[in-house]
Amino acid sequence: MKRIKLTVAYDGTNYCGWQVQPNGITIEEVLNKKLSKLTGEDIHIIGASRTDSGVHALGNVAVFDTTSTIPPERFAYAINQRLPEDIVVTQSEEVPMDWHPRYQDCIKYYEYHILNRSLPDPLKRLTTSHVSFPLDEAKMQEAANYLIGTHDFKSFCNIRTNTDDTVRTIYSLDVVRDGEEITIYISGNGFLYNMVRIIAGTLIRVGRGFYQPEQVKEILETKERTEAGVTAPPQGLRLAKIKYSSGTCSDSKVHDVNE
Amino acid sequence: MKRIKLTVAYDGTNYCGWQVQPNGITIEEVLNKKLSKLTGEDIHIIGASRTDSGVHALGNVAVFDTTSTIPPERFAYAINQRLPEDIVVTQSEEVPMDWHPRYQDCIKYYEYHILNRSLPDPLKRLTTSHVSFPLDEAKMQEAANYLIGTHDFKSFCNIRTNTDDTVRTIYSLDVVRDGEEITIYISGNGFLYNMVRIIAGTLIRVGRGFYQPEQVKEILETKERTEAGVTAPPQGLRLAKIKYSSGTCSDSKVHDVNE
C-alpha cells in the first residue's frame, strides 16, 4: 500500500464544489470514480481544500491510498486520459502513509479576480467577478493591510462555519490592478468558510467608497459577520496553490506573494 | 424606419456559430428573437462575420431596421437585459439606411490564442487552443511574413468555400509570445472560410518544426488546400474588431496591429 498525492486543477463552473454531496456532481466524486476505475480499487480521496460550488483551482491537493503498480508519478498522466476536460491532475507523487493534506502546516494561496469596467466580457464571465462601478485599488490595499497578521476572523466567515476557533493568520494580501482587471492575492495558514470571498466582498465595498479603509479594522474588531461586506460571487475565486512546510508545493507557476 | 448597428461580443462555446441554421442554436437566432421581443417587430439582423461554431467575438457587427422609438444608443442596454450572459451588445448606434456591414470597406482583426505548455489549463480550455509541444514563435513570425500582402489564399481556405475570388489582402500578421501564451494577431480586408484557422494551423506546424518558414511561401503558390496545415480548433479564435473606412470601429480596446 502506498499513498499518492495529486495536484489538481479545475474549472469549478459545472460542479457543486469539491466535496461529495447528494444534490450534484462534485470534483471529489469524479476523481473517486475515475481513480477507482483506473486502479480497480474503491478509492476515496482526501482533499486539502473543499472549495465551494463554482470556485476554481489551479493547485488543490488530494491524497489516496492504493496497491496499484502504476508508478506514482505516472498517475497524473493515466488519470488525465479519463478525466473530463475541466479537471486536470497536474502532478502525482508518493508521500509517506501518514501524510495528510489537511493536518500539515501549509500556506494556502488564493486569488480573487475582478473585471472592473462598465460592460461585462462574455469570455471572462466564468473566471472573474464583474464590477461595473470604478474601484479604487489603492484604498482596497489600504483596507487589506488591516487584515494581514493573526486575527480573529469571526466577522469574515459564514455564520454556518462549524468551528469555534476563528483565529487565522494572513501572511500577505495584495490588491493588484492590471488595466481593467483587479486581482486580490491572499495567502494564509488556513481560511474559514467563505472567508476569502467575504474579504473580497468587503474590499470591493471599500473600493466603491461605501466603507473607508480604516472601517475594516473596526469590522474585524466587532467579530460580527453582519458588519462585513457581502460574500463575493464564486467564479472570481481560485485556489492558486498550497505550499506545505515539508517543502512540496502544489504549483510554482503562480504569483508568489509571500516568497 | 431607421437602421441600427450593434457591436456584439460573445462566447461562442455554446453556439453553432453565428448564422441561423436548423441543427442548433446560433448567435444570430438569439439576437433575432430577443430584438423581435423587445421591439414587437419581426427582426432579422445582418451580421458582418458569420463566425463558426465555437469561435468567439469581442466586436462582431450587425444591423437591423426598426420603427421602434427606443433611442438608438439605448438599444445596447435594453437588449442586454434580455440576452444570456454569453452574449453582450457593447454598443448600438444609428447608421444610414444603406449602410451594410458586409458591403463596406473594412479591416477585420482576428486573434488566435494558443496555450503552449505541456499540460492543459482547465480555466483556459474554452478560449485558447492547447499545444503541448514547444513552439518557436520566431519561426512562426518568419513564416507569417510571407502571408502579409495581397495574395491568392486558395491554399488557405476550406475547400467548401463558395467563392471563386480567393484573393485577399492581409495587412498585418504578428506572432506574439507572452509566457505560456502565443497570440497570432491578424488583420485584413476580408477572410475566406476557415482562412484564419488554417493560417494558425500552418503556423503551428512551422512552430513545431514540421515546416520550414519558407515553405509557407511555396504552399501559398501551389494554391492547393492540401498543402497547408490542418484547420486549428475553433476555441482559439476570436474576432477582435471590425474597423470600417467610414470611421466607425467595433472595438477600440484590442491590440491594434495596424494603426
Side-chain angles (χ1 to χ4, degrees):
Chain A
M1 185 74 84
K2 55 194 166 193
R3 180 159 286 193
I4 306 291
K5 171 176 175 255
L6 303 178
T7 303
V8 192
Y10 47 85
D11 174 348
T13 305
N14 299 319
Y15 297 93
C16 293
W18 174 272
Q19 195 168 20
V20 168
Q21 55 123 304
N23 302 318
I25 196 162
T26 66
I27 312 289
E28 185 183 27
E29 182 184 345
V30 172
L31 286 168
N32 281 343
K33 280 189 183 163
K34 301 297 183 183
L35 286 167
S36 297
K37 196 140 188 179
L38 177 67
T39 59
E41 299 167 311
D42 186 23
I43 302 284
H44 293 273
I45 58 167
I46 300 167
S49 277
R50 287 160 287 190
T51 54
D52 264 349
S53 186
V55 171
H56 315 296
L58 294 179
N60 205 344
V61 167
V63 295
F64 65 98
D65 297 335
T66 181
T67 59
S68 165
T69 57
I70 297 172
E73 62 283 2
R74 289 289 294 171
F75 263 104
Y77 178 82
I79 192 69
N80 282 336
Q81 308 306 310
R82 295 164 180 264
L83 286 171
E85 278 191 341
D86 50 7
I87 306 178
V88 176
V89 172
T90 58
Q91 205 182 14
S92 58
E93 59 184 312
E94 187 172 354
V95 287
M97 286 303 291
D98 63 351
W99 197 94
H100 189 292
R102 285 205 294 275
Y103 305 145
Q104 312 273 332
D105 280 349
C106 70
I107 306 175
K108 288 184 177 173
Y109 296 80
Y110 278 91
E111 299 173 6
Y112 196 88
H113 291 256
I114 298 162
L115 178 66
N116 186 33
R117 64 177 207 177
S118 57
L119 283 167
D121 180 341
L123 291 181
K124 292 178 177 162
R125 77 191 191 287
L126 302 175
T127 53
T128 63
S129 175
H130 176 230
V131 177
S132 57
F133 300 91
L135 295 175
D136 181 334
E137 68 276 13
K139 285 199 170 158
M140 291 168 75
Q141 181 65 63
E142 202 184 323
N145 292 341
Y146 291 110
L147 300 173
I148 298 171
T150 302
H151 304 283
D152 184 341
F153 285 98
K154 198 168 179 190
S155 305
F156 292 91
C157 70
N158 190 301
I159 51 164
R160 287 179 290 141
T161 300
N162 55 1
T163 176
D164 292 331
D165 178 14
T166 48
V167 174
R168 294 290 183 278
T169 300
I170 292 180
Y171 299 119
S172 64
L173 184 41
D174 295 317
V175 181
V176 179
R177 180 184 281 278
D178 179 12
E180 298 173 333
E181 292 190 40
I182 294 175
T183 306
I184 300 169
Y185 295 94
I186 186 166
S187 72
N189 66 347
F191 293 94
L192 300 161
Y193 184 33
N194 284 167
M195 180 170 153
V196 182
R197 287 167 58 192
I198 296 169
I199 288 175
T202 305
L203 294 182
I204 288 168
R205 282 212 165 183
V206 172
R208 284 190 67 173
F210 288 172
Y211 293 157
Q212 290 307 306
E214 53 275 18
Q215 270 179 272
V216 168
K217 187 173 185 293
E218 294 162 26
I219 292 166
L220 195 61
E221 285 163 0
T222 62
K223 298 178 193 172
E224 283 291 341
R225 168 66 188 95
T226 51
E227 296 296 315
V230 296
T231 306
Q235 73 273 13
L237 184 62
R238 62 182 76 167
L239 170 57
K241 66 174 177 180
I242 305 173
K243 191 173 172 179
Y244 289 95
S245 54
S246 51
T248 62
C249 179
S250 66
D251 196 320
S252 58
K253 281 185 181 164
V254 292
H255 177 96
D256 277 340
V257 288
N258 201 42
E259 291 175 68
Chain B
M1 186 74 82
K2 56 193 165 193
R3 181 159 286 193
I4 306 292
K5 170 175 175 254
L6 303 178
T7 302
V8 192
Y10 47 86
D11 174 349
T13 306
N14 299 318
Y15 297 93
C16 294
W18 173 272
Q19 195 169 19
V20 168
Q21 55 123 302
N23 302 318
I25 195 161
T26 66
I27 312 289
E28 185 183 27
E29 181 185 344
V30 172
L31 286 168
N32 281 342
K33 279 188 183 163
K34 300 298 183 183
L35 286 167
S36 297
K37 196 139 186 178
L38 178 66
T39 59
E41 299 167 312
D42 186 22
I43 302 285
H44 293 273
I45 58 168
I46 301 167
S49 277
R50 287 160 287 190
T51 55
D52 265 348
S53 187
V55 171
H56 314 297
L58 294 179
N60 204 344
V61 167
V63 295
F64 66 97
D65 297 334
T66 181
T67 58
S68 165
T69 57
I70 297 172
E73 63 282 3
R74 290 289 292 171
F75 262 104
Y77 178 82
I79 192 69
N80 282 336
Q81 308 307 309
R82 295 164 181 264
L83 286 171
E85 278 190 341
D86 51 8
I87 306 177
V88 176
V89 172
T90 59
Q91 204 182 15
S92 58
E93 59 183 313
E94 188 171 355
V95 288
M97 287 302 292
D98 62 350
W99 196 93
H100 189 292
R102 284 205 294 275
Y103 306 144
Q104 313 273 332
D105 280 350
C106 71
I107 306 174
K108 288 184 177 174
Y109 296 79
Y110 279 91
E111 298 173 8
Y112 196 87
H113 291 257
I114 298 162
L115 178 66
N116 187 35
R117 63 177 207 178
S118 57
L119 283 167
D121 181 340
L123 291 182
K124 292 179 178 161
R125 76 191 191 287
L126 302 175
T127 53
T128 62
S129 175
H130 176 231
V131 177
S132 57
F133 300 91
L135 295 175
D136 181 335
E137 68 276 14
K139 285 199 171 157
M140 292 168 75
Q141 182 65 63
E142 202 184 324
N145 293 341
Y146 291 109
L147 300 173
I148 299 171
T150 303
H151 303 284
D152 184 340
F153 285 97
K154 198 169 179 188
S155 305
F156 292 91
C157 70
N158 189 302
I159 50 164
R160 287 180 289 141
T161 299
N162 55 1
T163 176
D164 293 330
D165 177 15
T166 48
V167 174
R168 292 291 184 278
T169 301
I170 292 181
Y171 299 119
S172 64
L173 183 41
D174 295 317
V175 181
V176 179
R177 180 184 280 279
D178 179 12
E180 298 173 333
E181 292 191 40
I182 294 176
T183 305
I184 300 169
Y185 295 94
I186 186 166
S187 72
N189 66 347
F191 293 93
L192 299 161
Y193 184 34
N194 282 168
M195 180 170 153
V196 181
R197 287 167 58 192
I198 295 168
I199 289 174
T202 306
L203 294 182
I204 287 168
R205 283 212 165 183
V206 172
R208 285 191 66 174
F210 288 172
Y211 294 157
Q212 291 307 307
E214 52 276 17
Q215 271 179 273
V216 168
K217 186 172 186 292
E218 294 162 25
I219 291 166
L220 193 62
E221 284 162 2
T222 63
K223 299 180 192 171
E224 284 290 342
R225 168 68 188 95
T226 51
E227 297 296 315
V230 296
T231 306
Q235 73 273 13
L237 184 62
R238 62 182 77 166
L239 169 58
K241 65 174 178 180
I242 305 172
K243 192 173 173 181
Y244 289 95
S245 53
S246 52
T248 62
C249 178
S250 66
D251 196 319
S252 58
K253 282 185 179 164
V254 291
H255 178 93
D256 276 342
V257 287
N258 202 41
E259 291 175 67

